[in-house]
Amino acid sequence: MTVRVRIAPSPTGNFHIGTARTAVFNWLFARHHGGQFILRIEDTDQTRSRPEYTQNILEGLTWLGLNWDEGPVFQSKRFDLYHHTIQTLLDNGLAYYCYTTEAELKALRDAQKARKEAPRYDNRHRNLTPEQRSAFEAEGRQPVIRFKIDDNREIVWNDLVRGKLTWKGSDLGGDMVIARAASQGEIGQPLYNLAVVVDDMDMKITHVIRGEDHIANTAKQILLYEALGATVPEFAHTPLILNPQGQKLSKRDGVTSISEFQNMGFVPEAMANYMTLLGWSPPESTQEIFTLDEAAQAFSFDRVNKAGAKFDWDKLNWLNSQYLHKKSPSELVELLIPYWQEAGYKIDPENNRPWLERLAAVIGPSLTRLPDAVEMTRLFFTDSVELTPDAIEQLKKEGATDVLNAVLEALDNTPEFSAETAGQIIKQVTKQQKVKKGLVMRSLRAGLTGDVHGPDLMESWVLLHQKGQDKSRLQQALSKVSS
């Protein structure tokens, strides 16, 4: 048997991290078994589906590196298939037209609530006579179509994550609506449970991997598979992603869509890596950093947790930093250019490439997220810097201004400048001024960068010198502390 799995997002919003994590698990399982990963867009809700959301889903999957083998298949193009299946259920007496009005349904729910009963449809129109149907139609009622559910039926399946699961037909809320209301003799818009079963049958899906919030749907869908004479796929219900308070992650928790994580400066490798750890643990418990391909080799459902997976920002930030620290200066520059440009920094990506790569090499080891680079590199893209109180305090120490003046004099006598010559100047000034090297280094940093903390001093000095800004910075600093 060839493993065939699918991810089936609905384009009614941006690509959610919960859906993305489900996509990751499907992809890992397919690749582990040499199977196929299929993309289906469940856009039967025509009023809420938007092409921009579909595009967001496709871009999110691509960004994460989740390549699909078939699709995207759009449910909105498959209504004829759904209608044919519904008609088959009607012809076989497994479904029926239901004319119950919204007012009647509300009255039923209110009565059940008053009796403290769970809400459920009472199947009142399951066995209408032709005369009763005609009478309802004469009133202008537009029927939905319901699938018959036997209250006495027990639905059992072996879930790949949760083991044996059992549902009673009586717990499924009565006969299930599978098509919305439509005019007499017509079949209305098919609903989720019907469409998903028809699609999975048609696409020969062998394993349905999705969140645990679908478990009740699974019980209903198994009944549909059986009614249609199909082989029931295997099911795996993965844990939900929870916020720090242990509740299902939602928009109220802030960032939830993949595009938002991307905009926040997370790289796809880190994001995909983190999502594999949201509910799954690798065989080597100490290993936390791995590619999707590496995770696929080890992936199995016996290492997927039943309990919800709490979203951990610190863990994601740490993972992201590890991937950023491994990137070459050339790779980093490509990632950082959009953030520098958005910040309004004047850069020439082609002609200044060597300088930009040297800058990326300086800040790379300190990055957690890509936008961090904007503030880290601000001093390299401005003609002058404001001195922090700590920098002013440093430059007012005894001997500090003499040190900067000596550095300026040495620069005038240094035709070729490099990190090596910068070190020679520091050594020369330390000896000449008869001070400690620490005073020279701290004063030089304060004068060049406006602060007493920052990136590597020698490399920063070289970068500023290459832009012709080191002398002017030191002169401005001397002017500010002497005024």
Side-chain angles (χ1 to χ4, degrees), residues 7 95 98 155 186 229 256 325 335 350 362 397 435:
I7 183 67
C98 172
I155 305 108
E186 295 182 4
T256 56
H325 298 170
L335 295 171
E350 292 185 14
V362 170
K397 287 183 177 180
V435 295

Side-chain angles (χ1 to χ4, degrees), residues 299-341:
F299 187 82
S300 65
F301 281 109
D302 59 2
R303 300 194 67 83
V304 173
N305 303 324
K306 296 182 180 69
K310 284 191 178 181
F311 193 91
D312 185 342
W313 283 102
D314 291 339
K315 184 67 165 290
L316 176 56
N317 283 328
W318 177 80
L319 274 172
N320 202 60
S321 71
Q322 300 307 298
Y323 280 95
L324 287 178
H325 298 170
K326 291 178 182 178
K327 290 191 177 295
S328 68
S330 177
E331 291 172 322
L332 266 182
V333 165
E334 285 300 317
L335 295 171
L336 293 175
I337 283 173
Y339 294 93
W340 284 330
Q341 291 175 329

Side-chain angles (χ1 to χ4, degrees), residues 426-438:
I426 289 172
K427 187 175 182 180
Q428 171 189 325
V429 170
T430 300
K431 184 177 180 181
Q432 175 189 328
Q433 297 296 312
K434 298 179 180 179
V435 295
K436 292 183 178 181
K437 184 179 179 181

Side-chain angles (χ1 to χ4, degrees), residues 135-437:
F136 285 135
E137 289 169 2
E139 293 177 20
R141 297 195 186 194
Q142 293 187 330
V144 299
I145 297 175
R146 290 184 182 269
F147 172 73
K148 296 178 180 178
I149 294 178
D150 181 357
D151 281 353
N152 297 318
R153 172 67 196 276
E154 188 176 69
I155 305 108
V156 182
W157 75 93
N158 183 51
D159 194 272
L160 296 177
V161 174
R162 299 168 189 283
K164 183 180 178 181
L165 291 178
T166 303
W167 276 73
K168 294 179 180 179
S170 56
D171 293 332
L172 297 179
D175 291 342
M176 170 175 56
V177 178
I178 57 174
R180 295 189 189 279
S183 301
Q184 179 182 351
E186 295 182 4
I187 294 175
Q189 179 181 318
L191 296 185
Y192 169 77
N193 280 313
L194 182 284
V196 73
V197 167
V198 173
D199 284 338
D200 286 346
M201 288 169 53
D202 185 58
M203 296 174 185
K204 298 179 173 57
I205 299 301
T206 61
H207 297 76
V208 175
I209 303 164
R210 56 192 179 192
E212 66 176 34
D213 49 339
H214 281 283
I215 288 177
N217 285 331
T218 296
K220 297 174 182 177
Q221 289 167 18
I222 287 174
L223 296 177
L224 279 168
Y225 281 113
E226 293 176 351
L228 295 168
T231 300
V232 179
E234 293 193 64
F235 292 93
H237 290 92
T238 58
L240 299 179
I241 301 176
L242 308 176
N243 65 16
Q245 291 73 44
Q247 300 166 326
K248 184 178 178 181
L249 193 70
S250 70
K251 289 183 179 179
R252 291 188 298 275
D253 298 302
V255 176
T256 56
S257 73
I258 292 301
S259 52
E260 288 175 306
F261 284 100
Q262 185 177 1
N263 293 336
M264 287 178 68
F266 292 102
V267 292
E269 308 96 309
M271 202 69 211
N273 190 157
Y274 180 65
M275 285 191 290
T276 64
L277 297 172
L278 279 173
W280 176 75
S281 55
E284 296 294 332
S285 59
T286 57
Q287 183 183 7
E288 294 185 300
I289 299 175
F290 38 72
T291 65
L292 281 172
D293 287 333
E294 289 169 342
Q297 292 177 19
F299 187 82
S300 65
F301 281 109
D302 59 2
R303 300 194 67 83
V304 173
N305 303 324
K306 296 182 180 69
K310 284 191 178 181
F311 193 91
D312 185 342
W313 283 102
D314 291 339
K315 184 67 165 290
L316 176 56
N317 283 328
W318 177 80
L319 274 172
N320 202 60
S321 71
Q322 300 307 298
Y323 280 95
L324 287 178
H325 298 170
K326 291 178 182 178
K327 290 191 177 295
S328 68
S330 177
E331 291 172 322
L332 266 182
V333 165
E334 285 300 317
L335 295 171
L336 293 175
I337 283 173
Y339 294 93
W340 284 330
Q341 291 175 329
E342 186 179 354
Y345 296 165
K346 295 178 181 178
I347 61 174
D348 186 340
E350 292 185 14
N351 296 324
N352 282 355
R353 188 74 182 205
W355 186 87
L356 291 171
E357 289 187 5
R358 189 160 191 164
L359 176 59
V362 170
I363 65 166
S366 301
L367 287 175
T368 298
R369 301 184 193 174
L370 292 170
D372 297 347
V374 172
E375 193 57 40
M376 284 183 187
T377 61
R378 188 179 301 279
L379 69 97
F380 298 101
F381 292 103
T382 54
D383 295 330
S384 61
V385 293
E386 292 296 321
L387 299 178
T388 66
D390 288 341
I392 293 173
E393 181 182 349
Q394 175 61 39
L395 293 176
K396 286 187 174 181
K397 287 183 177 180
E398 184 179 352
T401 55
D402 291 337
V403 163
L404 295 194
N405 279 312
V407 170
L408 283 167
E409 183 180 345
L411 280 171
D412 287 335
N413 299 316
T414 305
E416 297 292 332
F417 189 82
S418 64
E420 184 179 351
T421 53
Q424 292 172 352
I425 289 175
I426 289 172
K427 187 175 182 180
Q428 171 189 325
V429 170
T430 300
K431 184 177 180 181
Q432 175 189 328
Q433 297 296 312
K434 298 179 180 179
V435 295
K436 292 183 178 181
K437 184 179 179 181

Side-chain angles (χ1 to χ4, degrees), residues 12 43 68 115 129 173 189 225 296 307-308 362 413 440 449 455 457:
T12 55
D43 59 345
W68 54 91
R115 297 192 298 268
T129 65
Q189 179 181 318
Y225 281 113
V362 170
N413 299 316
V440 178
T449 71
L457 175 59

